[in-house]
Structures are given as C-alpha cells and as structure tokens.
Amino acid sequence: MNHGRVYDLLAIGETMAMLTPTTLVPLAGASVLRLDIGGAESNVAMHLARLGHPVAWASMVGSDPFGRRVLESISSAGVDTSKVTIDPDAQTGVYFKDSVGSGVRYYRANSAASRMSEAWLTGVPVASARIVHVTGITPALSATCAGLLGAVVAIAHRSDVLVSFDVNYRSQLWPVDVAAPVLLALAEQADLVFTGRDEAELLWGTSTATDIRRFLPGPARLIVKDASIGATEFLGADETFVAAPRVSVVESVGAGDAFAAGYLSAFLSDLDSGAALSHGHSLAASALQSMLDVPGED
C-alpha cells in the first residue's frame, strides 16, 4: 500500500556510468569492459521497483551518452526518472570497478550531479513519497549538494515523509574529520538510519552496535550492519539481530544498497523487524555474488 502517496520511495543522489572487466581480472589487464551504471540511491530505487514498489529517482546527469545510458537503465528497471535534470553544460560522472577486493576508481569531479542544490530541489516532489532515501555520498560532492540534503530533510519533516539515510562514508571523497560531524548531523535528523559497524567506528569511535545506538539515540530505527556477521535493528528500546547468510563473494560494491532496499521493502510492507533484516540479507547476498550493483536481466 502507498498510503495515498504517489511513490513508496523517492531516492535522490548521483548515478554514474560504470565500467567493469567482463572477466574477473584486474582493470590493467582487461581487454574488454562492460558499460553499466551505479549509484547508491538509484540502486535502492531499482531494487525496490523490481520488487513491485512505485519509486522515483531524482538527480542531474550530463547531456552525453553516459547520461542517456543512466536514464535508460534506471527507467527500464521501472523507476520514474521524470524528475531528473539533464545539464547540457556538465558531464555525467564515470567510475571503474577493479578486480575483486581492489575497489573502484572515480572520475566524478565537477559532474552534473555535483550541481544539485536547494534551488534545484523545488522541482522534486519530496512530499509525494512515503520515504525519501538519501546517503552520505551526496554532501561530499559539493557545497551545494551538502545544502541540498538539509533542505530535503526539512521538506520531508514538514510533509510527514520519512527520511531514510544510509551513512555510506566514502574516504575517497572526503576525510574523516570533515565527514564525521556532517554525517552525524544528518543521521540525527533521519527516521531510518543504515550504517556499517566498521564505518561508524571509523567516523565516531563506536566499536559495537550498542555503542552506536548510545551515540545515535535519535533515529526511530537504527540498522547496524556488521559485514558477514549479521545486522542489528534498534527500534526504540527493542533490539533485533539476524545473522548474515554464508555467500561466495564476487564483488562487495552495491551490497549495502541491496540490503537497504530489502529492508525498506519489508518495512513498506509492514513486516516485522526480523523479516526486514532477513529481506535485507537476502537481497545483499544476490549483489555480493555479482559484478553488477543491481543484478538483474542483461
């Protein structure tokens, strides 16, 4: 049920073109690369759309082949992209995935999405969604993007829209001492917060899920992921833990987004905490076994 809203979820954030080797070899040794797309927020939207939820994604892309590929890929997954702005004067960001365990290489400086701002937000229907989903990647892109998220939260709270925030710290984009207070302020204002136990320790010095909850008492729902061990949800005074299933990991990028989508799908369907965490693990397991951020039809 969408409770009278147009969308179950509206995701806001940058999506880039993604290039990956077609076989499990290092980038430097690859002769053929596959062109796909990847973005934390749109990953969540695509997963949810494939699960049958009405969702939208809002952002900016360049007027270039990569921007067209981003829009085509996301809309083909069933996501409403009508609120995406095409900027003729900026490029779409690009990133490359290296071999297993070697991470990614970003080429996103001065991208179209880095131009998102509070003024741009006037054309985005935040109040039309049950949930607005954002991540800690966006404020690292530019000063205007940092201001954008504050405006998103303010509009959501005025409109009785829940704010879902994935901390999603990216060390390649900004240092810990700069990111930590910004991400903390955003987490404190959100209704649902997703964070990794390890990233929270890096940012705020919290070593356990319980420590994180003591540090972040504000969010109604706090979900702490602990890699292959499992995930814990704190809902008021209640605490629920569900162990992660064993999987053969091919590539880990995108698994956190899949987990968030699985959890949010269950939450939107009014399932209990244990079921929501289990749904998160299930979707994350599929992502961990693929080189694609959002495994699906080729």
Side-chain angles (χ1 to χ4, degrees), residues 204-250:
W204 306 311
T206 51
S207 59
T208 68
T210 301
D211 290 338
I212 299 169
R213 184 49 162 174
R214 291 196 189 105
F215 190 75
L216 270 176
R221 293 174 183 263
L222 172 66
I223 300 92
V224 180
K225 301 165 291 178
D226 196 0
S228 61
I229 296 173
T232 304
E233 182 211 66
F234 295 91
L235 173 57
D238 296 329
E239 178 179 340
T240 303
F241 172 81
V242 174
R246 287 181 171 273
V247 297
S248 298
V249 178
V250 172

Side-chain angles (χ1 to χ4, degrees), residues 14-20 27 33-39 60-62 64-70 90-98 103-114 141 172-173 293:
E14 179 172 39
T15 296
M16 297 172 287
M18 175 180 72
L19 290 155
T20 59
L27 262 174
L33 300 178
R34 170 177 176 144
L35 175 61
D36 207 85
I37 63 134
M60 296 178 68
V61 298
D64 52 33
F66 290 141
R68 290 193 291 276
R69 180 60 174 264
V70 165
Q91 63 186 7
T92 305
V94 178
Y95 75 105
F96 294 79
K97 279 191 177 182
D98 211 325
V104 299
R105 303 290 185 273
Y106 294 120
Y107 297 86
R108 72 199 308 175
N110 302 312
S111 66
S114 72
L141 300 181
Q172 291 168 285
L173 297 178
D293 282 8

Side-chain angles (χ1 to χ4, degrees), residues 69 92 98 102 104 117 128 166 168 182 231 240 278 282:
R69 180 60 174 264
T92 305
D98 211 325
S102 298
V104 299
S117 66
S128 296
D166 192 334
N168 229 327
V182 176
T240 303
S278 295
S282 178

